[in-house]
């Protein structure tokens, strides 16, 4: 996937600078956690940014600055691109919400900082600087474009770009899933994001089942075809997953379920003798947990001989 490629590039950039900072004892606890670069359905200019304190101690943001390109948004004083400051300490686990232009950008959630300046839809370099001017966190997207999120077009219009897990996964971002969201825009419509709340991407990462497909492998397969998998539920009991195996032909929208109610790990011999040769198939193993969260793994396309 194109998005995956971009993410990989950003990971390298991020780890390269975080390594030395950690060794020096600097605190990378506060991160850029969510970027609504596409604005909201009420207006593409209604952008906002969320910071998160991932550490165990409160952080005083006096002297800290968010930069968008050359524009500087001080987090504790009204100067340069900062229009209003209401709070500049961040409790452990807490979120700081920066709204562009005015407080109605996210109309039912109070802004902590109000700023001016745009996040280009083609990408921008956003940095978080501490009081010493050290780069604490950054997303460098000016040249490569945003790795996630949507503007008016796209599968989920105006969905935000959310950090998955700053601690475990570094600089990895996903688009808000449209299921876990909060807040309303200036016109009262739901925001496809999570202003001042845990990201859908994080919730999903922490709770959705993870499936690993061990077979089949790409290429040409004989019959019966053995599907082998293992799945876990990060926040649930090992026995709590519903495993199903489905197949689709030639990349069709529809998946045909072959079998359900299998164990978290195992193998299944699919009798594919009645299925057509000369076309491509994909096999998907999905795992559904007690909250109806679904994780799945899909094979690469293969043919039957
Ligand atoms: Ca607001
Ligand atoms: Ca924008
Ligand atoms: Ca959030």
């Amino acid at each position: 996937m194109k998005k995956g490629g971009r993410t990989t590039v950003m990971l390298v950039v991020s780890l390269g600078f975080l390594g030395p900072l950690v060794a020096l004892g600097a605190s990378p606890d506060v991160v850029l956690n969510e970027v609504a670069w596409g604005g909201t359905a009420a207006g593409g200019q209604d952008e906002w940014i969320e910071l998160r304190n991932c550490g165990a101690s409160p952080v005083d943001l006096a002297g800290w600055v968010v930069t968008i390109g050359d524009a500087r948004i001080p987090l504790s004083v009204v100067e340069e691109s900062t229009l209003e400051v209401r709070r500049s300490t961040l409790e452990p686990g807490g979120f700081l919400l920066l709204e562009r232009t005015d407080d109605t950008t996210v109309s039912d959630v109070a802004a902590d900082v109000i700023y001016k300046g745009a996040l280009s839809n083609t990408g921008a370099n956003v940095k978080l600087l501490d009081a010493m001017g050290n780069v604490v966190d950054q997303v460098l997207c000016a040249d490569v474009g945003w790795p996630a999120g949507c503007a008016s077009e796209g599968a989920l219009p105006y969905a935000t770009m959310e950090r998955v897990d700053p601690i475990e996964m570094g600089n990895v971002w996903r688009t808000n899933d449209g299921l876990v969201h909060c807040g309303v825009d200036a016109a009262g419509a739901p925001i496809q994001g999570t202003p001042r709340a845990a990201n859908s991407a994080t919730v999903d990462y922490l709770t959705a089942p993870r499936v690993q497909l061990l077979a089949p492998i790409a290429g040409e397969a004989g019959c019966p075809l053995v599907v082998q998998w293992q799945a876990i539920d990060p926040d649930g009991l090992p026995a709590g997953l519903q495993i199903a195996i489905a197949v689709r032909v030639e990349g069709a929208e529809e998946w045909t379920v072959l079998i359900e109610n299998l164990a978290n790990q195992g193998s299944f011999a699919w009798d594919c003798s009645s299925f057509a040769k000369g076309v491509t198939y994909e096999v998907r193993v999905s795992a559904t947990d007690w909250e109806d969260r679904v994780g799945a793994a899909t094979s690469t396309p293969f043919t039957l001989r």
Side-chain angles (χ1 to χ4, degrees):
M1 286 193 309
K2 185 169 53 179
K3 285 179 177 172
R6 288 175 177 171
T7 302
T8 307
V9 171
M10 294 177 60
L11 254 176
V12 172
V13 171
S14 168
L15 292 177
F17 97 87
L18 276 178
L21 277 184
V22 171
L24 291 171
S27 167
D29 286 347
V30 181
V31 298
L32 299 160
N33 197 53
E34 187 170 1
V35 182
W37 56 262
T40 68
Q45 74 285 357
D46 278 355
E47 299 163 342
W48 52 273
I49 298 170
E50 178 189 81
L51 307 183
R52 178 184 160 204
N53 179 3
C54 303
S57 310
V59 175
D60 180 0
L61 299 176
W64 289 49
V65 178
V66 168
T67 62
I68 302 173
D70 294 331
R72 291 169 49 87
I73 305 166
L75 299 182
S76 60
V77 287
V78 177
E79 55 185 42
E80 298 177 86
S81 295
T82 299
L83 302 176
E84 198 172 334
V85 175
R86 295 169 176 175
R87 189 169 67 114
S88 55
T89 58
L90 202 43
E91 70 277 16
F95 300 95
L96 195 88
L97 179 61
L98 291 78
E99 294 186 37
R100 181 180 173 194
T101 311
D102 56 47
D103 204 358
T104 60
T105 298
V106 182
S107 60
D108 64 337
V109 181
D112 298 303
V113 172
I114 297 173
Y115 68 96
K116 60 181 180 184
L119 291 161
S120 168
N121 286 7
T122 60
N125 292 338
V126 183
K127 299 182 184 181
L128 176 64
L129 311 179
D130 68 13
M132 307 291 289
N134 297 314
V135 176
V136 172
D137 194 19
Q138 60 184 350
V139 274
L140 303 178
C141 301
D143 295 332
V144 294
W146 303 108
C150 300
S152 57
E153 74 287 356
L156 188 59
Y158 304 105
T160 62
M161 172 174 115
E162 294 181 322
R163 196 76 167 263
V164 175
D165 186 312
I167 306 299
E168 297 293 330
M169 291 185 69
N171 215 333
V172 177
W173 299 80
R174 293 211 187 119
T175 303
N176 177 270
D177 67 6
L179 301 172
V180 174
H181 60 91
C182 61
V184 295
D185 67 19
I191 283 177
Q192 304 305 328
T194 53
R196 279 189 86 163
N199 292 346
S200 72
T202 307
V203 172
D204 198 55
Y205 169 73
L206 294 174
T207 62
R210 288 169 214 169
V211 183
Q212 198 182 355
L213 192 56
L214 307 170
I217 314 298
E220 212 183 35
C223 192
L225 182 129
V226 175
V227 181
Q228 197 182 355
W229 69 93
Q230 55 188 33
I232 57 155
D233 188 1
D235 67 334
L237 299 171
L241 296 174
Q242 299 285 327
I243 305 289
I245 299 177
V247 66
R248 72 173 174 181
V249 186
E250 296 282 312
E253 291 257 315
E254 287 289 304
W255 290 86
T256 303
V257 175
L258 298 172
I259 189 167
E260 294 177 290
N261 297 320
L262 298 167
N264 283 18
Q265 70 177 75
S267 63
F268 167 68
W270 170 36
D271 177 8
C272 47
S273 55
S274 62
F275 283 72
K277 315 285 188 279
V279 292
T280 58
Y281 294 91
E282 292 160 277
V283 164
R284 181 182 69 185
V285 176
S286 61
T288 306
D289 72 6
W290 58 281
E291 294 176 300
D292 280 339
R293 286 191 166 272
V294 181
T298 304
S299 73
T300 48
F302 58 90
T303 56
L304 299 173
R305 67 172 163 265

